[in-house]
Amino acid sequence: SQALIAINRWQFHGDKGWEAQVGVKGALLNDKSGVGGFHQDPETHLGHWWGAEVATRRAEAWAKIGRVFPGKPHSSIGLQLSALRHEHRSYFGLRNYDADQRSAYANLIYQSIIGNTNHQYRTGASFQWDNFHESIPGAHFLRNEVIPGAFFEYTYKHLDRLTAVLGLRADHHNNFGLFFTPRMHLSWTPRDLTVFRLSAARGQRTAAIW
């Protein structure tokens, strides 16, 4: 196995409540397994020997930028950004599997209170893009997803004993159209060392072959 991984991160603390964090990461990985004398070439391959190799090239970057408003310690705004490029080359015995992925994500969040800290809310918008290209001998698979969305979440707290969270997302998928994702969470602590929780939600995922 061979591995080379590098990462660097920068932090920024400014005046007027501004903070930021930026990072980059790169990885080069190469793993081999099986019998040392294995050859993938069918003409030189010996049937009772087996081998595999996986080579990965990955680069990613991310950023978090936020601000707590002066004079309003319970109000803040934040932006999350990330992007990656992933290249995968591999074979298992005489069969190849290659894949490429490109992804980008953005999430804007604003949170504040309604009257007092018993009533809090979060709202914002997000964007997700994924592009996959996978191939095996004789077959190629392409998948491209573009998903913008928006969300709102309300939290009620009472005497550190009761917490209720109600949330709703609306997303538009380029292949599946508009869909809604509700969420509810209740937590009640009648006394120390005793907690009751109730959660309900709906979620959707895209099925992938691999």
Side-chain angles (χ1 to χ4, degrees), residues 30-174:
N30 193 74
D31 296 303
K32 292 183 178 182
S33 59
V35 180
F38 171 79
H39 296 283
Q40 196 189 19
D41 186 350
E43 295 182 0
T44 59
H45 171 69
L46 298 179
H48 59 283
W49 286 3
W50 186 88
E53 181 176 0
V54 178
T56 301
R57 305 292 182 266
R58 182 181 178 94
E60 54 187 305
W62 67 91
K64 297 180 181 180
I65 306 169
R67 186 192 185 198
V68 177
F69 294 98
K72 298 180 179 180
H74 303 293
S75 299
S76 63
I77 190 170
L79 177 64
Q80 298 171 309
L81 301 170
S82 64
L84 70 87
R85 174 67 186 269
H86 187 104
E87 296 181 357
H88 178 101
R89 301 291 180 267
S90 62
Y91 63 80
F92 302 90
L94 299 181
R95 184 177 295 275
N96 287 20
Y97 168 68
D98 297 331
D100 291 293
Q101 175 186 354
R102 292 177 293 171
S103 296
Y105 174 75
N107 190 34
L108 178 66
I109 305 174
Y110 175 80
Q111 65 179 21
S112 188
I113 61 175
I114 303 174
N116 56 59
T117 56
N118 290 340
H119 306 274
Q120 305 174 11
Y121 71 91
R122 293 182 178 184
T123 187
S126 64
F127 177 81
Q128 178 74 49
W129 172 64
D130 290 304
N131 181 271
F132 297 91
H133 183 191
E134 300 171 290
S135 63
I136 60 175
H140 299 274
F141 301 90
L142 299 175
R143 180 158 58 95
N144 187 67
E145 297 183 281
V146 181
I147 313 170
F151 60 90
F152 182 87
E153 181 180 276
Y154 167 76
T155 302
Y156 172 75
K157 293 184 178 181
H158 180 67
L159 301 177
D160 293 329
R161 294 292 185 180
L162 176 66
T163 300
V165 180
L166 300 175
L168 179 65
R169 285 193 58 91
D171 294 278
H172 187 276
H173 194 286
N174 59 309

Side-chain angles (χ1 to χ4, degrees), residues 3-42:
L4 175 61
I5 302 174
I7 184 173
N8 202 10
R9 182 179 298 165
W10 299 269
Q11 291 185 339
F12 170 79
H13 300 276
D15 54 3
K16 299 182 179 181
W18 285 101
E19 292 189 5
Q21 184 180 114
V22 179
V24 293
K25 181 179 180 180
L28 302 176
L29 308 174
N30 193 74
D31 296 303
K32 292 183 178 182
S33 59
V35 180
F38 171 79
H39 296 283
Q40 196 189 19
D41 186 350

